[in-house]
């Protein structure tokens, strides 16, 4: 089996094993292949393993790949920093945006989402460890903003996303993901049944097991599928 297909099989096994370990239904955990910096040929290899969900960080790079793979029935997720003057392309070409980190970005995506595509799925990115270097909403004070964003008609607020500080200790990894899961609980208590958040976008190559133990529904895996990236 070619390498990328093999890697996807390995990552899928890790997901299934963690689901079994923590009493989760493996069908509730979606694997996103993070294809940033990777050529279209790598994406095609992943498709050969049945992979349909791809996540990208850099808008222009993503648009080029999406154009090249048009008609392939893939689902594209945007997970990178989004400047407000670039929201239109994200609203027009993606099914999901995981990295909404300001109210203004949500409003622009809402205004720019073509009606023909239906509501854009979004997650709010939370700066769960309060790191200076990372974007995202602070957990404190997120509730009223989330309730406001949940009302935007052309968006569907699905959940929360975080990129915790890289930790070696499994317990520390779990602690950060636990905070995000609790925050979702807190927001859900204030939402109507039809609006409840069903998504926790958390877990990457190095910490997906800890994320699954705390309720992750989407893991975003790059390195362990495509190999180590060159520094951009
Ligand atoms: C790059 C990236 C990933 C993938 O990280 P790996 O460690 O390569 O699996 C996941 N999420 C986000 C937001 C990223 O930028």
């Amino acid at each position: 089996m070619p390498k990328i297909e093999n890697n996807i099989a390995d990552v899928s096994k890790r997901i299934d094993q963690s689901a079994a370990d923590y009493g989760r239904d493996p069908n509730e955990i979606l694997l996103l292949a993070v294809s940033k910096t990777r050529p279209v040929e790598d994406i095609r290899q992943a498709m050969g393993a049945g992979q349909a969900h791809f996540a990208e960080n850099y808008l222009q790079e993503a648009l080029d790949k999406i154009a090249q793979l048009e008609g392939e029935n893939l689902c594209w997720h945007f997970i990178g920093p989004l400047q407000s003057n670039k929201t239109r392309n994200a609203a027009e070409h993606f099914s999901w945006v995981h990295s909404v980190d300001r109210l203004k970005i949500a409003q622009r995506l809402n205004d720019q989402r073509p009606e023909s595509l239906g509501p854009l799925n979004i997650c709010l990115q939370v700066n769960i460890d309060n790191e200076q270097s990372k974007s995202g909403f602070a957990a404190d004070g997120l509730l009223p903003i989330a309730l406001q964003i949940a009302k935007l008609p052309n968006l569907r607020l699905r959940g929360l996303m975080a990129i915790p500080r890289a930790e070696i200790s499994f317990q520390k990894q779990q602690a950060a993901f636990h905070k995000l899961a609790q925050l979702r609980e807190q927001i859900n208590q204030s939402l109507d049944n039809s609006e409840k958040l069903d998504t926790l976008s958390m877990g990457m190559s190095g910490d997906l097991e800890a994320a699954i133990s705390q309720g992750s529904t989407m893991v975003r895996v790059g390195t362990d599928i495509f190999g180590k990236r060159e520094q951009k």
Side-chain angles (χ1 to χ4, degrees):
M1 224 196 289
K3 193 153 186 307
I4 289 173
E5 295 188 51
N6 225 340
N7 289 346
I8 288 181
D10 286 346
V11 171
S12 300
K13 269 188 226 146
R14 283 169 64 193
I15 293 171
D16 289 349
Q17 183 60 52
S18 302
D21 288 348
Y22 298 103
R24 302 274 322 276
D25 177 354
N27 297 315
E28 285 178 359
I29 305 160
L30 185 67
L31 172 60
L32 308 188
V34 179
S35 44
K36 63 182 175 201
T37 79
R38 295 293 168 177
V40 164
E41 299 81 75
D42 285 13
I43 295 176
R44 288 197 185 278
Q45 276 200 35
M47 288 161 57
Q51 183 66 32
H53 288 262
F54 292 89
E56 290 278 343
N57 285 59
Y58 309 104
L59 203 51
Q60 191 51 55
E61 178 192 328
L63 295 174
D64 292 344
K65 293 179 193 173
I66 291 170
Q68 288 183 62
L69 291 163
E70 214 193 309
E72 291 287 0
N73 207 19
L74 302 176
C75 185
W76 291 97
H77 299 248
F78 191 75
I79 61 172
L82 196 49
Q83 293 164 270
S84 60
N85 62 348
K86 302 272 175 65
T87 48
R88 183 175 297 280
N89 275 324
E92 290 179 349
H93 295 280
F94 286 82
S95 298
W96 284 74
V97 174
H98 294 234
S99 44
V100 174
D101 61 355
R102 277 169 289 155
L103 178 59
K104 182 182 170 190
I105 296 284
Q107 285 165 334
R108 290 179 65 90
L109 289 170
N110 178 69
D111 295 346
Q112 294 167 341
R113 178 69 170 176
E115 224 166 280
S116 60
L117 296 179
L120 174 67
N121 297 296
I122 64 157
C123 292
L124 305 182
Q125 183 173 350
V126 180
N127 188 352
I128 203 73
D129 294 315
N130 291 315
E131 292 174 276
Q132 289 265 315
S133 61
K134 289 210 180 120
S135 49
F137 290 101
D140 278 350
L142 180 59
L143 178 63
I145 299 168
L147 299 183
Q148 202 175 337
I149 291 175
K151 300 291 177 217
L152 295 173
N154 300 321
L155 302 183
R156 174 82 178 89
L157 177 58
R158 298 292 297 269
L160 305 178
M161 183 273 251
I163 313 167
R165 190 185 288 126
E167 298 277 7
I168 305 291
S169 144
F170 191 71
Q171 279 78 14
K172 283 187 182 164
Q173 292 176 355
Q174 284 181 310
F177 294 132
H178 183 67
K179 278 197 273 181
L180 196 71
Q182 281 193 314
L183 194 57
R184 179 179 68 161
E185 279 302 298
Q186 188 204 342
I187 293 170
N188 272 346
Q189 283 172 14
S190 300
L191 289 172
D192 295 338
N193 272 336
S194 64
E195 299 176 322
K196 290 211 191 296
L197 309 185
D198 60 6
T199 299
L200 283 172
S201 170
M202 58 188 200
M204 321 200 302
S205 295
D207 56 14
L208 69 90
E209 285 85 359
I212 289 171
S213 81
Q214 300 305 311
S216 172
T217 64
M218 286 190 178
V219 292
R220 311 177 308 267
V221 178
T223 307
D224 284 358
I225 291 177
F226 296 108
K228 220 166 142 39
R229 286 180 295 275
E230 303 288 323
Q231 284 298 339
K232 186 133 172 143

